Amino acid sequence: MKLSRRGFFKLSGAMAAASVLGTKGLAAASKEPAGHDDSWACLVDTTLCVGCRKCEQACSERHGLAKPDLPYDELTVLEEPRRPDHRFYTVINKYYPQHIGPLTWRERPSFVKFQCMHCNDPACASACITGALHKNPEGPITWTSSKCIGCRYCMIACPFQIPAYEYHEPLMPRVMKCTFCYEYVKKGDLPACVKVCPMEVMTFGKRSELIKLARKKMEKHPGKYVNYIYGEKEVGGTSWLYLASQPFEKIGFPKLGELAPPRITEGIQHGLYKYLWAPLTLYVVLGGVMWASGFFGEKRSFKVKTRGRPGNEKGGDQ
Ligand code: SF4
Ligand code: SF4
Ligand code: SF4
């Protein structure tokens, strides 16, 4: 493409403008996404769970996941903490009562269901450079195989260590995690785990309503729950919300801040862009000055004279 001197200045001007406007645009893009009051959500009352693993089975069967080594009614597997993986989008873990200082929490073990938290501002989707992980308008974060390049940035980014990878699949390995049963719930069904649970541990509904319900439960049963809703604020809030009778850090929940990871990482990223634009703009402007002053033209004519045959004004090797 031939670039005239005027065109070059236009380009320089556009790049200089982009150095100012571009960072503003990027800063705007880094703002936290809009509210999530109406997002689909699930309130898990861990005090009701009996650790039967029926939710694990219903989930794995609905999604056609590989059969586990031991049957689902084998409850000894609960003795070791597990993470969701390619065979289980959700797992139940068992936590024995803890004695903390002078306090003794309930004698009964706590059973806790883990799966993707479907974050309001998901670090996995933010880290995914191809958009393979995507937050749907209703809240669930889903994965599209055709867009995934297998970089596994999502696995590193997730503060709950949720996405699993089919390492054993040489051809088409998948990133695997709870889908919130998106395709089923969109058609009016319930998530399989919610539907099957015999103890009604989970309540599915709108996020804002479930937060109200959680508060009511805590008010109605003083002393039954620790006075905290896990997921209300962690990492910018999550669609899965929890009530518990033991402190959350004692039953497998990571202690996390309120700021969503994408707000931190995108801030750094935008800062880098901002400071890289300045030298880039300087190079473009200096280049423009050199072009305007004929610097490149002088060099070109020097090159032509030295390479061409004597008497050949155009130079070249013809
Ligand atoms: S829990 Fe992890 S995988 Fe699930 S939405 Fe949040 S960041 Fe993504
Ligand atoms: S919402 Fe669906 S995919 Fe997620 S844990 Fe429950 S059954 Fe499994
Ligand atoms: S089905 Fe319900 S009671 Fe059984 S383990 Fe799952 S959440 Fe707990």
Side-chain angles (χ1 to χ4, degrees):
M1 186 182 73
K2 199 176 172 191
L3 186 64
S4 69
R5 201 172 290 182
R6 179 177 291 204
F8 190 96
F9 278 121
K10 272 192 187 164
L11 180 64
S12 316
M15 289 187 78
S19 71
V20 179
L21 295 176
T23 52
K24 276 188 189 162
L26 288 169
S30 78
K31 275 189 191 149
E32 194 172 339
H36 302 276
D37 283 357
D38 288 343
S39 288
W40 296 355
C42 227
L43 175 65
V44 184
D45 184 342
T46 61
T47 67
L48 301 176
C49 180
V50 292
C52 66
R53 299 184 69 208
K54 289 200 187 314
C55 50
E56 288 185 15
Q57 181 172 4
C59 174
S60 298
E61 287 178 356
R62 177 177 268 185
H63 294 97
L65 305 184
K67 283 220 163 87
D69 301 335
L70 294 171
Y72 290 103
D73 58 8
E74 176 57 66
L75 300 184
T76 55
V77 296
L78 301 178
E79 297 304 324
E80 288 292 325
R82 293 172 299 151
R83 304 288 325 155
D85 63 20
H86 66 280
R87 293 161 309 167
F88 299 99
Y89 286 171
T90 185
V91 293
I92 297 289
N93 282 342
K94 183 179 185 180
Y95 298 92
Y96 286 99
Q98 302 273 331
H99 302 276
I100 305 150
L103 298 173
T104 300
W105 299 92
R106 288 159 59 99
E107 290 307 318
R108 176 187 172 278
S110 293
F111 296 95
V112 184
K113 179 182 182 298
F114 292 104
Q115 72 295 301
C116 168
M117 299 288 278
H118 295 276
C119 304
N120 290 346
D121 194 356
C124 58
S126 172
C128 180
I129 53 177
T130 63
L133 274 161
H134 161 76
K135 185 165 178 74
N136 293 281
E138 301 89 343
I141 286 85
T142 52
W143 176 80
T144 309
S145 70
S146 58
K147 290 187 179 174
C148 183
I149 54 169
C151 66
R152 283 164 278 147
Y153 286 169
C154 53
M155 296 173 71
I156 299 164
C158 173
F160 299 99
Q161 299 174 0
I162 292 296
Y165 194 67
E166 285 185 309
Y167 287 103
H168 59 282
E169 278 293 337
L171 294 179
M172 296 289 283
R174 291 175 292 175
V175 170
M176 302 183 78
K177 68 165 202 71
C178 157
T179 62
F180 219 148
C181 290
Y182 185 59
E183 293 306 322
Y184 298 87
V185 180
K186 258 201 323 188
K187 290 179 194 152
D189 202 346
L190 278 172
C193 53
V194 177
K195 201 168 161 179
V196 78
C197 177
M199 303 303 292
E200 297 183 10
V201 169
M202 292 155 278
T203 311
F204 178 82
K206 277 188 189 173
R207 191 171 186 272
S208 56
E209 285 167 13
L210 294 183
I211 289 172
K212 279 187 211 151
L213 174 65
R215 293 225 167 86
K216 262 192 208 150
K217 280 187 163 215
M218 287 190 290
E219 273 167 33
K220 201 170 164 196
H221 303 284
K224 182 178 179 188
Y225 304 101
V226 291
N227 189 22
Y228 195 79
I229 307 169
Y230 192 94
E232 183 183 6
K233 299 214 169 112
E234 277 73 17
V235 293
T238 61
S239 288
W240 282 68
L241 304 158
Y242 287 82
L243 288 176
S245 61
Q246 295 196 60
F248 283 96
E249 62 272 22
K250 302 292 175 194
I251 54 170
F253 288 87
K255 205 167 172 57
L256 299 166
E258 293 184 12
L259 194 61
R263 297 312 106 213
I264 305 166
T265 52
E266 285 176 18
I268 294 167
Q269 203 181 332
H270 297 164
L272 283 174
Y273 281 134
K274 189 175 166 185
Y275 293 112
L276 277 175
W277 270 114
L280 193 58
T281 307
L282 183 65
Y283 284 132
V284 171
V285 170
L286 282 176
V289 170
M290 288 161 84
W291 182 284
S293 64
F295 179 83
F296 294 122
E298 288 300 319
K299 285 290 236 192
R300 190 175 48 203
S301 60
F302 174 75
K303 202 173 172 186
V304 168
K305 276 179 196 161
T306 53
R307 287 185 69 199
R309 285 196 297 269
N312 181 357
E313 292 295 326
K314 288 184 182 166
D317 296 322
Q318 69 272 37

